[in-house]
Structure formats: structure tokens, C-alpha cells
Amino acid sequence: MKAVCLLSGGMDSSTLAYLAKDEGYDILALHFTYGQRTEGKERECAMRIARHLNAVEFLDVDLTYLIQVGASSLTDRSIQVRDHADAGEGIPQTYVPFRNANLLSVATSFAESRGAEAIYIGVQASDYSGYPDCRPEFIDAFQQVINLGTRPETRIALKTPFVTMNKAEILRIGMSLSVPYEDTWSCYRDGDAACGVCGSCHFRKEAFQAVGVEDPIPYL
């Protein structure tokens, strides 16, 4: 069995790929470069995780047109990445408009062309309120898009095993699978060490504290 795993190099997607491997799939690793501030660090981490898993293939897709789309602090350098404490309510400014639909479209093409039975994406419960393209309703709708937009004989399951979990629950699964979290990166800001205060760092640190394990990556 083969599965396309969306692999950003972050904590959730790396755990997801390890889980897919544990569930019996050979890994087709799919990474995206879309102009994000930390693209170099993310690619490096994604490649390390793919090597650890003996991935059948590592595909790095250029979606840098999302820089032109803009409207996100991840892709527009004129918009400052806020600290988690200053993020406020509603849609965060790290939201990249309709990003997951772009990613899943490419993942579907990749999966169909390689005869893969599944696509794994690491959406999780704490993303619902801020990121509309992480909601279970969106995932269900995209499964219908896959069913309708591929060959009649194609059967690709869109798998979201973390969709009802928080980050601490995901981390506990990762610890049981011996995920090398020292080879992952979550910070929204570019630097040799994670900032520790952006939204992504906040939730990562919170998860490690909840589990009672030291986070192996360096922080400022």
C-alpha cells in the first residue's frame, strides 16, 4: 500500500507520516514551498523525516504563486508575525487563503498518478476556529471532490487521523512511535532557533509541557 503524506517538516505532519508508516503504508512524501518565511528549514526537516521513513519518493512542489496571492504573514514580509499573546480572536494573520485546497489538489494528482490508496493530512482540533480549511466539513467536502474528479476506478481515501485530537494527544502518539522531534520545525519565524512566542511555538511548547517531555529543538 502507498500513501501520499503531506510533510511540512513540522511536529504534526511528521507524526502523521510515522503513523501512516505504522499503519502499513509506503510513504510518498509531498512537501510544498510556497514562499513561507521558514521554507529552507521546513524543507530540510521534511527531507530528514522522509529519509528516516525510507520514503519511496520525496516530491517538493513549488507553489510560490501564493506569494502573489499574499494576505498572510507567512508569505508577505510586510505583515509582521504576531506573538501568540497578541494574536487576538478570529482568523489569524498566518492563515494562507485556501491553502489546504491547493495542497490537496496537488496531493490528489500525485496519489492518482502513483496508484496510492490514501492521502494523509495533519489537520487537528485546535486548528478549527482559526483555519476554515482545517474543519472536518472541509475535509468531507474535499473527499467528494476526489471521488468526483478522478478516474472511475480510482479509490483514494483522504485520511485525517488527528482531526479530533489536540497537540498533546498527537505528541503522545509520536512518542510511542519514536518520532525524532529534534528533526522537526514549527516556528513561523525564520531563525537558527525557534522564537518560542509565535502561535505555532506556543502550542508546541504547551504540548510538550502537558506530556512532561523536554522539547529537543532550540529556542531563543
Side-chain angles (χ1 to χ4, degrees):
M1 298 190 301
K2 290 180 286 188
V4 171
C5 291
L6 276 70
L7 187 59
S8 69
M11 172 181 158
D12 296 341
S13 72
S14 297
T15 307
L16 184 79
Y18 267 75
L19 180 61
K21 185 75 169 181
D22 187 65
E23 291 180 346
Y25 289 95
D26 287 334
I27 305 303
L28 298 166
L30 179 58
H31 180 73
F32 293 96
T33 298
Y34 54 92
Q36 65 270 42
R37 293 170 184 264
T38 56
E39 62 180 43
K41 192 80 171 180
E42 288 185 20
R43 185 189 299 108
E44 177 186 345
C45 289
M47 291 179 71
R48 286 179 182 174
I49 296 297
R51 283 196 295 268
H52 289 317
L53 291 169
N54 295 315
V56 174
E57 203 170 336
F58 182 90
L59 181 62
D60 184 5
V61 175
D62 187 333
L63 296 183
T64 49
Y65 62 80
L66 289 174
I67 295 176
Q68 295 170 280
V69 172
S72 168
S73 61
L74 296 190
T75 57
D76 186 341
R77 300 305 193 272
S78 70
I79 304 174
Q80 185 179 5
V81 175
R82 295 175 184 163
D83 292 352
H84 174 72
D86 301 326
E89 299 295 325
I91 305 295
Q93 33 90 281
T94 49
Y95 167 67
V96 178
F98 214 47
R99 180 183 65 179
N100 281 349
N102 285 263
L103 308 190
L104 286 171
S105 293
V106 176
T108 303
S109 294
F110 190 27
E112 187 173 27
S113 70
R114 299 300 190 270
E117 294 88 352
I119 296 168
Y120 280 73
I121 183 171
V123 296
Q124 44 103 350
S126 61
D127 291 333
Y128 295 175
S129 59
Y131 297 94
D133 56 356
C134 290
R135 292 176 295 172
E137 299 92 333
F138 172 80
I139 297 300
D140 291 343
F142 208 92
Q143 179 68 71
Q144 290 303 307
V145 169
I146 293 172
N147 296 345
L148 292 170
T150 55
R151 295 184 185 94
E153 66 273 19
T154 297
R155 296 290 182 271
I156 301 170
L158 182 51
K159 291 180 175 283
T160 58
F162 300 156
V163 75
T164 61
M165 299 183 191
N166 60 39
K167 245 179 167 54
E169 292 169 325
I170 294 167
L171 178 58
R172 288 189 181 96
I173 291 173
M175 298 300 294
S176 73
L177 296 172
S178 300
V179 176
Y181 287 111
E182 66 274 13
D183 288 334
T184 67
W185 190 256
S186 301
C187 186
Y188 287 144
R189 294 181 171 122
D190 190 17
D192 293 330
C195 73
V197 293
C198 70
S200 188
C201 281
H202 169 83
F203 289 114
R204 177 176 174 136
K205 290 172 68 178
E206 189 176 66
F208 274 93
Q209 289 165 3
V211 174
V213 177
E214 183 177 354
D215 190 344
I217 69 168
Y219 286 90
L220 291 175

